[in-house]
Amino acid sequence: MPLPAPIYHLHSPCSSCNLAELCLPADLSANEMHKLDELSTVKRSFARSDYLYRSGDKFRSLFAIHSGSFKTQILHEDGREQVTGFQMAGEIIGLDAISTDTHACDAVALESSVVCELPFNKLEALSREIPLLQRHLHKLMSREIVRDQGIMLLLGSMRAEERLAVFLLNLSQRFATRGLSATQFQLRMSRQEIGSYLGLKLETVSRAFSHFQSERLINVKVRTVEILDLAGLQACLNNTR
Amino acid sequence: MPLPAPIYHLHSPCSSCNLAELCLPADLSANEMHKLDELSTVKRSFARSDYLYRSGDKFRSLFAIHSGSFKTQILHEDGREQVTGFQMAGEIIGLDAISTDTHACDAVALESSVVCELPFNKLEALSREIPLLQRHLHKLMSREIVRDQGIMLLLGSMRAEERLAVFLLNLSQRFATRGLSATQFQLRMSRQEIGSYLGLKLETVSRAFSHFQSERLINVKVRTVEILDLAGLQACLNNTR
DNA sequence: CACGATTTTTGACATATATCAAACCGCATT
DNA sequence: AATGCGGTTTGATATATGTCAAAAATCGTG
């Protein structure tokens, strides 16, 4: 099994990062921002299908995704696998590992990606000094809890097409937040990975895509998606079972 | 709709609480413990089906369950509902509200219950002073993330009986942690609530209970459960679909 | 203790999604 | 340009769980 082949880059401070508004609290003073620069140490590059960390790895750092994207997945001993999330630039990954000082899932690059390593003990020390940072960290973790509970709702009570609609709308919204098109994008994950995330088999995902296309809600050609009718997709969700 | 009818009790310090080992970090110094007593203010009592908080309520405090139990649930606008968890004594509830300063779900008492209110701004201030408390709070939130991701695995890839087995084993383990029987207990929630939590209809839950009983894995009479074969229940999980 | 209301169990049947299989397509490599 | 391979689409069929309904058990209340 090939090891991830990280490429180490020079130190690059948060204060000059164009993603700071996604990663960091607003309203930091210049002084606080300066302190924060102690934190960001190195960037690491990953190729598609490299592991950022594996379940069982010792926890030392959170990671901020600087570019590219990842999936996180749990592997159950009996071979079952569940993709628990897809993460993109500006998102923080690794929060699940704090609870036991051990990573609880795998994080795998979906494409060439760069991450910033955030040593967690430094982050805790800084957040004792900078209340805004403390609050930000708490919000980050809480947001992850809310997100996961939203997926529980999806998995527990939505039908296949509703799940896919939620998935596409969520992607759309996140691309828009990053200044990208909300209606045209490339999927970085396979049908199988989408299916695992949504609790469906890949064939069901594929059929749902085809059906949305036949309804003129989207154009989809393998991994290229164009949303033709955002409101129409949203309307899928209101048709209770 | 009847409002919750809280009964206010006298201040009672964490330092003298018999649940402290569940709620609080180990290894606090006497001095730190003393500081912590600033935190716990009042206890409130709730009757069955009272709301501890509702989705949309302003967030001010986390709550430590002192006795009794609660369910948390999300209500989707279209009427769909998802139970996101069942909480019992010693567990902390309300972490999802930090992200937006607004409660993201309802918390409803499943029986007569008492909770300790933990004002969050005080908790943050204290955790800046007491690193062990800071770390504890982080672990608490991270544990919630891991728990939720476990439920995603359950909802995304397990069959009905596997889900119920996981549910029963989890309850069993939590009762045992509290010094109660791991094999005999009362369910505090209805079949409908279990079903919502597990992504199943109540009839399916009922059938799974009946099947486990016919297999001599459990005895179940409505809400009274006796686990006859813990290992057998665990074995349910290894039968991959 | 009896009553009605609610919850649970059980059965018969319906259906959404899984499973199995084959064809198709796009991409990378030669 | 041809080849091979993994990913995707589509079809036919199977099955787990949902739906609807009725009976049974339980609970709360007068």
Side-chain angles (χ1 to χ4, degrees), chain A residues 147-178:
Chain A
R147 195 188 69 82
D148 290 349
Q149 293 181 349
I151 299 168
M152 288 168 56
L153 175 66
L154 176 147
L155 292 172
S157 68
M158 291 188 183
R159 319 173 341 66
E161 291 188 1
E162 296 177 308
R163 296 182 199 192
L164 187 64
V166 169
F167 172 74
L168 290 172
L169 290 167
N170 174 264
L171 278 187
S172 164
Q173 204 263 302
R174 285 154 77 198
F175 282 123
T177 300
R178 284 157 184 78

Side-chain angles (χ1 to χ4, degrees), chain A residues 59-107:
Chain A
F59 171 64
R60 288 193 187 78
S61 303
L62 299 178
F63 299 94
I65 300 176
H66 185 258
S67 63
S69 53
F70 288 79
K71 67 170 174 179
T72 47
Q73 59 186 9
I74 315 177
L75 300 175
H76 201 245
E77 44 264 32
D78 55 19
R80 253 187 289 249
E81 120 183 9
Q82 174 78 27
V83 171
T84 55
F86 299 109
Q87 295 82 18
M88 48 209 268
E91 295 175 337
I92 306 286
I93 187 173
L95 295 171
D96 52 277
I98 299 167
S99 73
T100 58
D101 272 322
T102 301
H103 284 283
C105 63
D106 300 329

